[in-house]
Amino acid sequence: MEALSENTEETKSAFVNYLERGDFPALQERGILRLLAPRGPEEDALPRGGLPQGEWRQLAEKFAFSRNLRPQWVYVENFAALIPALREGRGDVIATNFSRTPNRRSQVAFTRPLQAVNELLITLRDMDKPLQEVAVRRGSAYAETLREDTEQAYNVTLLDGAVANSTLLAAVAAGEYQATVMDSNLADALLPNYPQLTASDQLESSRDIAWAVRLNATELRRELNEFLTAELVLAGQNSSKPVRGWEEILEGGTLRVLTRNHPASYFIWRGELMGFDYDLLKKFARDHKLRLSMVVPDADMDLIDALQAGMGDMIAASLTVTETRRQQGLVFTRPYLQVTEQVIAPSTDVSLQGDVPLEQMLSGKMVAVNPQTSYHESLAEMITLQRERERGVAPIQISEQPGATTEYLIDAVAQGIFPYTVADSHLVAIESTYRDDFRVVAELPNTRDIAWAVRTDQSRLLEQLNNFLNKHDRDLFFNVTYNKYFKEKKHILRHQENRLRNSDALSPYDPIVHQYTDKTDRDWRMVVAQMYQESQFNPRARSFSGAQGLMQVLPRTAGQLGIENLYEPENSIRAGVAYLGWLDQRFPHNISLEQKIYFTLAAYNAGHGHVQDARVLARQLGLDPNQWFGHVEQAMLLLSKPEYYRKSRFGYVRGREPVKYVREIRDRYIGYLGVERNGYLQNVE
């Protein structure tokens, strides 16, 4: 046993280390994730922006908490000690700026890359003699790089102990060493403090930064890869952006709608995105030639805060109109639904009955609600009335359940976990079609309006939304859509029975997808999202161009990969994953890892050559050739026009197809994330 004094910021009690060489289930049993990092000044006071170690630290701790594990940092003396500590079982994840090298890959299993970097040679700007000596930390990847450089023979000084990067740079600046080597992400953060130093890429070495686990920790590696891919994608979608008015939305071509995953607004059914709000807004977007992007923030983020931060342009989440929400900066459209708030009890409960006032009926009763919903506000108003009337009845007991959905609370009441909850009548109607273990015992006073919401500075968007709702007020389109989700029992049953509620089973072919993605850096959920796009999970699918099977690979392409009989699910999935890997390698190393996902998907659909043409055209148009959304996708659309495709290397391409393909796969993948594990407990308004 080794006693350690280092602790997480959250936990300051002493930690006694132990040996554990098990996989993810063993870590779950202990409830702790030990994160390995080298000891040094950077680790004692990690910045939150700037040095990447600070970002890695936050990310590693977020992963631990997302898996219900307590993060515990374990520091070793230097980089050379990281892999031995991991393999001996004194830590579970190397979570620092750690390069993937061939030598290391033979000893540990790496996650998908977090970042691609160049290894830079750092010297004095006015160095007046030939470079001979380079000092690097023992165990660093730089030593491998210097040994591999056959064109230049360096005298390599290996430094032991906890040598900080800033200490190394100061030593080079002072002339103690001629040079050192540093990753470009570190150099970007630190070199501005040393104006006498310069960086060059004469080593011509690029490496991926990743985390590492033991070779046998296949489940832990998969959990990390799923988490890291999701973080990359969601960071791009959920990041705060400049708030936009109607003109900027039209110019950008996409309407971003903040919502929650639940049966009245937005959900996934057999791989398709559905929901009453979703269907209405899909038509609104189509009428204005806009793409629709549904944004589901983290469960702990309030939708109003997300709107004010620019994460979306509007809110559509079965939102109840309340004065409190108006005071928080929301402006509501005209109502498109009216509902009542109903008190729910188990079907076996007969305690609430009789012709008595509601506040007296609920006197002293515990009612479980999410504090962010209008139900909480309604109950609080009733408690105030109880006190004002001084009827001598015990007040209603509100049991606050942050993050809980109405569905979850209805289910919890039916199971006897809570005695009562409150739900909007349209949600109750949906739940009542496929379950009979709860009943409505009362209704709260007053009818409630359901509406969409925008910020106070979005008058033009508000006007357009109101025009749409006025135009379709109870017309055929609205009534058919409403009946599909709230009245036609056959449709509701089918949707709810096959509605995706968690990510345990996304398709009938999940085990095969796991089998082939677990060996790669690819997230299996992204492959499943792509599989649905290609074939709707039909293993006998065949396209007009001759592509076959679940992943719609051409027999010629599969043959080059050594795979035949693409109607066999395993062969098709193996070919699809292998082809994705081949395409991924065709794009430059300097494209960010998130963007490379989208470029690879576009190339799978349209061909690598057409995507490269679009990157060239994007650069000519002043767009970013390394960014897909809003940049290369715009150039791809132009490659269907003669004035552009005639000048391109690979000619004409139906640009709308790959643009739609990438967006729909991305949106479906994000939809999968919305129901991931505790996604079923996300807020419902």
Side-chain angles (χ1 to χ4, degrees), residues 408-446:
Y408 166 75
L409 290 174
I410 289 176
D411 191 61
V413 166
Q415 295 181 46
I417 298 173
F418 303 116
Y420 305 105
T421 189
V422 179
D424 283 335
S425 54
H426 67 314
L427 297 178
V428 173
I430 293 174
E431 293 290 304
S432 298
T433 59
Y434 66 97
R435 60 189 305 170
D436 58 4
D437 52 0
F438 73 91
R439 69 189 187 99
V440 177
V441 295
E443 287 189 346
L444 301 188
N446 304 321

Side-chain angles (χ1 to χ4, degrees), residues 67 78 131 217 227 321 334 339 374 394 471 581 645 663:
R67 268 52 178 179
N78 53 37
L131 176 60
F227 171 79
V321 177
R334 58 156 289 172
V339 300
S374 62
K471 176 181 177 181
Y645 73 70
R663 281 188 174 271

Side-chain angles (χ1 to χ4, degrees), residues 325-612:
R325 285 171 172 161
R326 286 194 174 102
Q327 292 172 3
Q328 291 175 302
L330 292 188
V331 179
F332 290 96
T333 64
R334 58 156 289 172
Y336 61 94
L337 286 178
Q338 286 191 323
V339 300
T340 58
E341 296 176 333
Q342 300 179 331
V343 181
I344 305 299
S347 58
T348 55
D349 186 286
V350 294
S351 62
L352 295 188
Q353 55 186 352
D355 188 16
V356 296
L358 181 60
E359 62 265 28
Q360 187 173 338
M361 185 185 296
L362 292 176
S363 172
K365 307 294 186 182
M366 177 182 290
V367 185
V369 293
N370 183 331
Q372 289 184 323
T373 63
S374 62
Y375 317 141
H376 186 278
E377 187 174 329
S378 297
L379 291 172
E381 289 173 358
M382 287 182 61
I383 293 172
T384 301
L385 284 175
Q386 283 180 315
R387 290 170 178 161
E388 289 176 352
R389 291 171 182 173
E390 297 181 349
R391 291 185 175 178
V393 296
I396 301 168
Q397 302 298 312
I398 299 178
S399 175
E400 296 187 351
Q401 302 297 317
T405 66
T406 301
E407 288 177 282
Y408 166 75
L409 290 174
I410 289 176
D411 191 61
V413 166
Q415 295 181 46
I417 298 173
F418 303 116
Y420 305 105
T421 189
V422 179
D424 283 335
S425 54
H426 67 314
L427 297 178
V428 173
I430 293 174
E431 293 290 304
S432 298
T433 59
Y434 66 97
R435 60 189 305 170
D436 58 4
D437 52 0
F438 73 91
R439 69 189 187 99
V440 177
V441 295
E443 287 189 346
L444 301 188
N446 304 321
T447 299
R448 293 282 195 166
D449 290 332
I450 302 294
W452 296 330
V454 299
R455 292 184 300 274
T456 55
D457 60 351
Q458 293 178 297
S459 58
R460 287 291 308 282
L461 174 58
L462 180 68
E463 177 186 1
Q464 295 298 328
L465 291 170
N466 279 331
N467 289 342
F468 174 83
L469 292 171
N470 287 329
K471 176 181 177 181
H472 295 290
D473 183 26
R474 306 297 181 228
D475 69 355
L476 180 62
F477 160 72
F478 185 95
N479 289 334
V480 167
T481 307
Y482 179 85
N483 291 341
K484 179 172 71 170
Y485 290 104
F486 303 119
K487 283 211 166 183
E488 295 175 359
K489 188 171 182 178
K490 180 180 177 181
H491 282 111
I492 297 171
L493 276 172
R494 189 174 64 194
H495 292 159
Q496 294 308 308
E497 287 174 351
N498 294 281
R499 176 181 161 215
L500 189 65
R501 297 177 185 273
N502 59 62
S503 63
D504 293 341
L506 301 182
S507 80
Y509 307 101
D510 292 354
I512 304 174
V513 177
H514 274 300
Q515 180 182 347
Y516 290 101
T517 56
D518 285 359
K519 302 171 185 176
T520 71
D521 295 331
R522 210 159 296 283
D523 188 331
W524 72 281
R525 298 164 299 185
M526 185 73 78
V527 173
V528 172
Q530 183 181 7
M531 186 195 306
Y532 185 86
Q533 189 76 17
E534 290 287 355
S535 65
Q536 289 72 57
F537 302 147
N538 176 11
R540 303 298 300 176
R542 179 184 175 89
S543 74
F544 71 92
S545 63
Q548 299 175 359
L550 289 168
M551 294 295 288
Q552 289 291 280
V553 179
L554 289 167
R556 180 180 66 255
T557 301
Q560 293 171 344
L561 298 168
I563 302 170
E564 299 178 346
N565 187 14
L566 292 171
Y567 293 121
E568 176 64 34
E570 181 172 348
N571 292 345
S572 181
I573 292 169
R574 180 159 64 101
V577 172
Y579 186 43
L580 284 167
W582 183 87
L583 289 169
D584 186 86
Q585 296 302 313
R586 308 276 79 77
F587 291 102
H589 197 252
N590 65 331
I591 295 179
S592 75
L593 303 171
E594 175 207 355
Q595 295 303 316
K596 196 175 284 191
I597 293 172
Y598 306 134
F599 282 114
T600 300
L601 288 173
Y604 194 103
N605 176 262
H608 175 261
H610 290 303
V611 178
Q612 293 291 46

Side-chain angles (χ1 to χ4, degrees), residues 1-12:
M1 294 281 190
E2 177 187 358
L4 302 177
S5 58
E6 293 83 3
N7 299 282
T8 64
E9 293 180 1
E10 293 77 10
T11 306
K12 298 299 183 183

Side-chain angles (χ1 to χ4, degrees), residues 598-637:
Y598 306 134
F599 282 114
T600 300
L601 288 173
Y604 194 103
N605 176 262
H608 175 261
H610 290 303
V611 178
Q612 293 291 46
D613 280 348
R615 294 186 66 232
V616 171
L617 178 57
R619 184 180 289 106
Q620 293 170 353
L621 295 172
L623 301 171
D624 187 344
N626 293 337
Q627 293 283 325
W628 175 258
F629 292 113
H631 293 267
V632 176
E633 69 168 353
Q634 297 302 320
M636 180 67 77
L637 291 170

